[in-house]
Amino acid sequence: MRRDLLLGGGILSPQGGIYLMTVPVEAEDDEVVICSARRDSATLRLTALTNLEEIQSIIALMAPWDTVAEACAMTPEGELFFLRPDEAELQTIPGSGYSRDDSKGIGRMTTLAQVGVDLVATGYSGQVYRYSHGRRGWSDISIPVSPSESHKPVFYDVISGRGDALVFGGSALFDMAITPDMEAANDAGDIDALMDLFSESEGEDAMSLRLYDGAWRIADTVGEPGAIVALLPMNTGTLLFSDTGMIYRSSDFDAIEEVYRPAQPEGFDDIKIWQGRPLLLSGNTLSVFREGDLDPFDPPLPSGETFCLSVSPVGDRILAVFPDHVQLFEAGSWTRLEPELPEA
């Protein structure tokens, strides 16, 4: 791979297509260029599909959305790129994001997911938008949030619940309100008084689990601090993964139980399902969660000088993306693949 080309993540689609986020030298902040990748022996020939964009979420598309594109990526502003090997089609979620002329201006978008026949996009301040396949456009089902509320919801994952319900995992983010006393202390230059007022008003982010079936309700999350970053449906119930590495299980979302507590409070770098089991990435260590324990993936993910960025399982294959190369697991072994852009 060219030394001036870095990778920022990627996915494997059910059709076998590989989509990688590349980081050119001219990229600023979190900008990437999304490329499709065609395998040529041990090389991945890249084709650029977008200009420099900040990508918040990228997913492979399943039926029935796989007739539209192989994958879809979303920016923090709610712009969508429907990805095919040779092109990317741009669409926009009306009202979403924070600075577009038509946005509600209440926060960045966080997650894009496919739930059955629906595409669901979530964002800060309770933003939720849904697009049902075969229908016209996006519907806004966001949580009504008052500017005066001390905690505002943000979601990082969504799955289907009972019936037509949607289940959202995320966090209730503490949002400190600026009081008249704070403004007066600031105007007077009384830093000590201002700091005291800030301390008195301190709050904590808390895990949030909410259900939507036409109306919103809050489910039990045992009052733990932090965030729910992933929800994985299993035969024994849904597993809830926190940003501290805790794993919980719930069968009905009215109560949850702890099923795994790490020795140190540290979250996973990626969380996916592979062959019906949770596949968990921590640095360069890949594990499978079984009966309350983390079993090392066999064979181990080949380690390199840099940490793995993401894993993307499809069937019996797994795509693991590093900043400088890709590992593909198939037929029981890992193969290193080198991405290459065409010569200018």
Side-chain angles (χ1 to χ4, degrees):
M1 189 174 83
R2 275 179 19 202
R3 291 184 179 275
D4 60 348
L5 178 66
L6 294 175
L7 301 179
I11 59 163
L12 178 65
S13 76
Q15 298 93 329
I18 296 174
Y19 295 87
L20 299 176
M21 293 182 286
T22 65
V23 187
V25 291
E26 65 271 23
E28 298 180 0
D29 299 327
D30 296 320
E31 290 180 331
V32 298
V33 173
I34 302 177
C35 297
S36 61
R38 177 180 59 83
R39 186 174 178 181
D40 180 8
S41 187
T43 301
L44 291 174
R45 307 292 181 187
L46 302 184
T47 299
L49 301 178
T50 69
N51 296 320
L52 283 169
E53 303 285 349
E54 184 180 354
I55 299 299
Q56 186 67 33
S57 183
I58 183 169
I59 61 170
L61 294 177
M62 314 294 180
W65 283 95
D66 58 353
T67 61
V68 176
E70 291 189 0
C72 189
M74 181 179 71
T75 73
E77 285 283 16
E79 297 160 321
L80 298 177
F81 293 94
F82 285 90
L83 306 171
R84 291 177 284 274
D86 298 315
E87 62 178 341
E89 179 185 342
L90 176 63
Q91 294 187 17
T92 301
I93 304 172
S96 65
Y98 57 96
S99 67
R100 294 197 333 267
D101 290 341
D102 68 330
S103 75
K104 292 187 286 187
I106 57 176
R108 295 164 61 95
M109 301 302 291
T110 55
T111 299
L112 177 68
Q114 182 178 342
V115 185
V117 301
D118 294 341
L119 291 182
V120 181
T122 68
Y124 282 89
S125 297
Q127 291 181 89
V128 182
Y129 307 89
R130 179 169 62 184
Y131 191 162
S132 297
H133 186 270
R135 296 189 180 181
R136 282 192 169 185
W138 291 84
S139 57
D140 186 344
I141 58 171
S142 301
I143 299 175
V145 177
S146 168
S148 62
E149 290 185 31
S150 61
H151 285 79
K152 294 181 171 60
V154 58
F155 300 122
Y156 303 114
D157 202 4
V158 54
I159 61 171
S160 60
R162 292 180 179 176
D164 295 328
L166 296 173
V167 181
F168 296 83
S171 182
L173 299 180
F174 176 71
D175 185 12
M176 181 184 294
I178 303 301
T179 66
D181 288 343
M182 292 178 184
E183 293 177 345
N186 183 64
D187 292 341
D190 191 341
I191 301 302
D192 290 338
L194 184 61
M195 291 300 100
D196 288 341
L197 290 169
F198 281 158
S199 297
E200 293 172 3
S201 301
E202 282 183 355
E204 192 173 41
D205 298 343
M207 294 197 318
S208 178
L209 186 65
R210 301 208 186 199
L211 284 73
Y212 178 81
D213 58 1
W216 286 96
R217 74 178 179 91
I218 299 176
D220 180 20
T221 52
V222 301
E224 290 283 348
I228 296 171
V229 295
L231 301 167
L232 298 186
M234 300 283 119
N235 292 333
T236 57
T238 299
L239 294 179
L240 297 76
F241 294 79
S242 82
D243 60 347
T244 61
M246 296 280 293
I247 305 177
Y248 304 86
R249 179 169 53 215
S250 179
S251 58
D252 55 11
F253 302 110
D254 287 325
I256 66 176
E257 61 173 329
E258 177 187 316
V259 294
Y260 176 79
R261 179 181 291 268
Q264 299 292 330
E266 184 175 353
F268 300 103
D269 296 317
D270 206 354
I271 302 168
K272 299 290 172 58
I273 291 182
W274 182 71
Q275 297 189 345
R277 298 280 188 179
L279 184 68
L280 309 176
L281 175 68
S282 297
N284 281 337
T285 301
L286 202 55
S287 305
V288 179
F289 183 67
R290 291 188 178 94
E291 299 176 358
D293 288 319
L294 300 184
D295 292 342
F297 188 87
D298 185 26
L301 179 63
S303 61
E305 296 180 357
T306 56
F307 284 141
C308 183
L309 300 170
S310 64
V311 291
S312 178
V314 173
D316 60 356
R317 307 168 78 207
I318 303 172
L319 182 78
V321 181
F322 291 76
D324 58 352
H325 73 283
V326 168
Q327 293 280 351
L328 182 64
F329 179 79
E330 58 182 353
S333 63
W334 293 98
T335 300
R336 180 178 174 124
L337 303 176
E338 301 289 345
E340 292 287 349
L341 281 171
E343 295 295 331

